[in-house]
Amino acid sequence: MACRRTLQLCRTGLLRNFDRQQQLRHSRSYGRDVAIIGAPFKKGQRLAGVEQGPRVMREAGLIEKLRDLGHNVEDRGDLNFDAFKDDPRNYVLNPKAVGAATKKVSKAVEQAVRDDKLTVTLGGDHSISIGTIHGHARAEPNLCLLWIDAHADINTPLTTPSGNIHGTPLSFLVNQLKDTPQYHRHCLCGSA
């Protein structure tokens, strides 16, 4: 139903102004300063390997490709994440570690956005998205988020079948937004 309403808004032109604004912003993004933040974090889920993402993306030439597109790139390095002792009896995996990582990622992203940088965060598992979006929103509250993922990532700590926090970021964000007037003016569609 919510998606049908969005399609109706698109057809009636109410979202055309938003599209024009996005095109304007995109045309101004050429040659823009870009900050790369590495977040080699894996504690939001149980599998090893995702923490290698920032290194692998850099080795694959991400920074050079962005420079080839005309951007001025500042690599701010990788964030270091502290080890925490979480209660192994918790159903939700590593809540203290994820909470601390979220704060660290949020602070780094907020600073980069305040420095007027187009900010790219390289992860890590998907739990880092809580911090990336929170940091961006603190620096620039007028933002638009398009969430594209194979999964909705809208489980809550009580409904997650795996206990992995990397499957819950959108639920945290929706919960934080539910009482804001802007939230009620927009609709939320599910994932693919």
Side-chain angles (χ1 to χ4, degrees):
M1 184 66 159
C3 290
R4 185 176 303 150
R5 176 79 176 128
T6 300
L7 289 174
Q8 288 171 342
L9 288 172
C10 288
R11 286 188 192 116
T12 61
L14 293 176
L15 293 181
R16 284 191 196 130
N17 189 34
F18 174 77
D19 187 46
R20 281 190 209 110
Q21 290 172 346
Q22 292 303 98
Q23 288 173 358
L24 263 173
R25 288 185 86 174
H26 179 68
S27 67
R28 286 182 271 167
S29 69
Y30 180 79
R32 186 156 178 211
D33 292 338
V34 176
I36 304 289
I37 299 169
F41 187 74
K42 65 178 183 178
K43 298 286 186 176
Q45 48 86 55
R46 290 176 171 80
L47 301 175
V50 295
E51 72 280 6
Q52 302 301 318
R55 179 186 56 78
V56 170
M57 294 296 286
R58 287 181 180 106
E59 288 175 1
L62 174 66
I63 293 170
E64 292 78 17
K65 288 178 176 137
L66 289 170
R67 285 184 178 137
D68 289 346
L69 290 171
H71 298 289
N72 303 311
V73 180
E74 176 189 354
D75 188 347
R76 296 191 173 190
D78 287 349
L79 300 173
N80 294 311
F81 299 104
D82 299 324
F84 282 88
K85 288 275 188 185
D86 276 295
D87 186 340
R89 295 172 295 173
N90 283 346
Y91 178 68
V92 175
L93 187 67
N94 302 318
K96 290 179 186 175
V98 173
T102 294
K103 288 179 184 177
K104 191 171 272 196
V105 170
S106 176
K107 186 176 178 180
V109 169
E110 179 181 359
Q111 186 58 56
V113 173
R114 288 191 191 284
D115 292 343
D116 199 31
K117 308 280 186 189
L118 179 67
T119 307
V120 178
T121 309
L122 306 175
D125 73 58
H126 212 177
S127 66
I128 68 162
S129 62
I130 303 167
T132 58
I133 296 165
H134 180 264
H136 195 113
R138 285 182 51 87
E140 178 58 54
N142 187 21
L143 76 110
C144 178
L145 172 65
L146 176 62
W147 192 277
I148 301 173
D149 195 325
H151 311 96
D153 290 343
I154 200 163
N155 288 306
T156 70
L158 297 175
T159 64
T160 173
S162 66
N164 293 337
I165 296 178
H166 81 145
T168 65
L170 196 55
S171 73
F172 288 112
L173 296 166
V174 168
N175 187 49
Q176 292 300 314
L177 295 174
K178 71 179 179 189
D179 295 326
T180 63
Q182 296 89 341
Y183 176 77
H184 296 289
R185 283 184 269 167
H186 304 287
C187 62
L188 210 118
C189 297
S191 70

